[in-house]
Amino acid sequence: MFRDVCRVFVLALVAGAMWVGGNAQITSSSAMAADDDDALTKAYVMKAIERYQRDGREAALAYYNSRESIEGERFMNIIDPQQSVILASGLSTRVGAPAPALGPVTPEGIWMDHQDIHHITRQLGPKRSFLIRHDDLVFMAGHFTLQENLADVTRNYIAKAIAHYGREGLEATVAYYNSRESVDGHFYLFLIGADDLYLAHPIFPHLIGTDIKDVVGSDGQELGKEIAEATEEGHWVEYLWPNPVTQREEHKAAWVVRHDGLIFASGYYTSDTEAGSPPWQGADPREYTVAYVQRAIERYKSDGLEAMKAYYNSVASIEGEWYLFATDADDIYHVHPLISKLIGTDLKDVVGSDGYELGKALVKAEEGVGVWVEYLWPHPVTLAEVPKVGYAIRRDGLLFASGYYPAPESPEAGTKAYVQAAIDKYKQEGLEATVAYYGSRESIEGQSSLFLIDENGRIAVFLVAPGAVGLNIESVKVPSTGFELGKEIVRATEAGHWIHYQRPNVRTGVILDAHAWVIRYDGLVFGSSYFGEPAD
């Protein structure tokens, strides 16, 4: 059973980045921002040019690489358009990163409407930026606009999806909108069949085949039933839903339209400037696990068994790496939001690949007396079986459980050592043997797996996404953001460097902060990554 469970996890090839502007539209003017906000942004940019003229290039770059230069939500990006790289930014993580596609920027300046992640709330939202060319550099800053402006964008996204269906047919539409290619910023389509079963969901693919009417929010709202009431005229449904950018449950507004019997739906998250970091970030994982399980028990006590099962079998219940798995009094699974095939099976039958009867250990939990169990379980990122710590406790005979993956003490050192071991193997055994070994699951260590780029810039090894082998690495972009990850990888030198970016867990939608170490040796690029806290 354990090996079957491994196969249900699905990976994305690439993911999010701190810059979100792949589908930016450049305009000379826009009604999306208030005049006073436009004036403040333009004044901030012009002040930067004055500083540059007064103090010189070096001093200006130094100042705008400091936090001191940030004014509220406005921070400067100074870009070298020839090299397409950010030379200075109030957000230090962006310095040296590839610049977004800008198009022609004039000495008179232009306005650009795009999406970005707020540096305080880490929430994706619409942004309006002013760009101006001066002395062969581009100076750029912006402000976030009202979320309500996304209503028309949402309707247009749905209209394009319906047009795609009319032009290409159902099968092609389902295939496209189940792909990351279809994701535009934080817009993605969830497509429902005439029988109200999910046909497409690129963020939460395990929902496919389930009934939209069964989806219940954390507050008890039967949001799925409201969505299923969609008409040809369309209507808005507002509800709580996990935001894959902020990693928190937030208010979402979705536009839903019934067309040709199908439901086309998409939405956006409303602004929540008080959201802050997710509650589990920096929390003690054991304490958070116990608290998470206790909240599930409280929901069972207050709302009843069926409501508890409905909520915890939905993606709305997932918090970071925490999700509930639960059984009835006979130890038969009735809750598992990630591996629905386990529902109806006996927890006592679950055995790890090392032979450890982890299921029997978990069911030893008693009424009011929890048990902690350490075992191997597939990591949702690499698919590798890694140590997991699970906690289980009973209430009314039912078993409630959750767990976490212990973080390595020094992931940076471990990642570097893993890459160096790959280089050593190459030195000793040659390219063919290295590709064969690191193309096998045997090579995975915890979160670490290797990606290897050959002398021609082609992907020779990418175990977590084998379909990418043979592709030109420079063509690899983050589908939802346009971040040119491949171009950053090929910049690797013999000294090596870190790449910090973000990618969503394709099953939970939770944003993962990725940290990749890449180094060039003998014309090849060796790299690996780990997932942890955001970079400073």
Side-chain angles (χ1 to χ4, degrees), residues 94-122:
R94 296 187 177 181
V95 178
L102 299 178
V105 180
T106 67
E108 293 72 36
I110 62 170
W111 288 97
M112 182 172 82
D113 296 313
H114 58 111
Q115 294 187 80
D116 201 358
I117 298 175
H118 198 288
H119 66 282
I120 297 174
T121 67
R122 299 185 69 207

Side-chain angles (χ1 to χ4, degrees), residues 333-472:
Y333 277 104
H334 57 205
V335 170
H336 205 302
L338 292 186
I339 311 174
S340 58
K341 66 183 294 182
L342 286 175
I343 295 176
T345 66
D346 195 324
L347 174 58
K348 294 189 294 294
D349 293 337
V350 178
V351 179
S353 61
D354 57 355
Y356 179 55
E357 296 180 322
L358 62 100
K360 290 182 179 178
L362 287 165
V363 301
K364 291 180 181 178
E366 299 178 3
E367 193 81 10
V369 181
V371 297
W372 289 95
V373 180
E374 298 183 12
Y375 53 93
L376 294 176
W377 196 253
H379 193 284
V381 175
T382 66
L383 309 185
E385 297 168 20
V386 295
K388 183 171 185 176
V389 180
Y391 171 76
I393 192 169
R394 291 191 185 274
R395 174 77 182 196
D396 295 341
L398 309 177
L399 184 137
F400 295 78
S402 189
Y404 66 94
Y405 297 90
E409 290 186 7
S410 180
E412 296 91 348
T415 301
K416 283 187 172 183
Y418 181 83
V419 173
Q420 186 58 49
I423 293 174
D424 292 342
K425 187 175 188 69
Y426 167 74
K427 289 191 225 180
Q428 296 165 8
E429 302 180 27
L431 181 59
E432 185 175 348
T434 302
V435 168
Y437 176 70
Y438 285 100
S440 70
R441 297 200 58 77
E442 179 186 358
S443 67
I444 296 178
E445 297 179 9
Q447 292 191 35
S448 298
S449 62
L450 190 78
F451 54 89
L452 176 62
I453 314 303
D454 68 18
E455 293 176 322
N456 299 314
R458 300 281 175 180
I459 299 173
V461 172
F462 205 137
L463 182 57
V464 298
V469 172
L471 294 179
N472 187 318

Side-chain angles (χ1 to χ4, degrees), residues 32-51:
M32 290 182 66
D35 290 342
D36 54 347
D37 281 335
D38 279 5
L40 288 172
T41 293
K42 187 172 182 179
Y44 179 75
V45 174
M46 298 310 295
K47 186 168 62 175
I49 293 178
E50 291 175 6
R51 178 181 288 272

Side-chain angles (χ1 to χ4, degrees), residues 157-195:
Y157 184 81
I158 294 297
K160 290 179 181 178
I162 292 174
H164 188 283
Y165 165 73
R167 183 175 63 252
E168 306 291 341
L170 179 59
E171 185 175 351
T173 300
V174 169
Y176 176 69
Y177 285 101
N178 269 325
S179 73
R180 285 278 168 175
E181 181 185 357
S182 69
V183 180
D184 182 1
H186 63 176
F187 289 105
Y188 59 86
L189 186 79
F190 50 105
L191 180 63
I192 315 297
D195 53 3

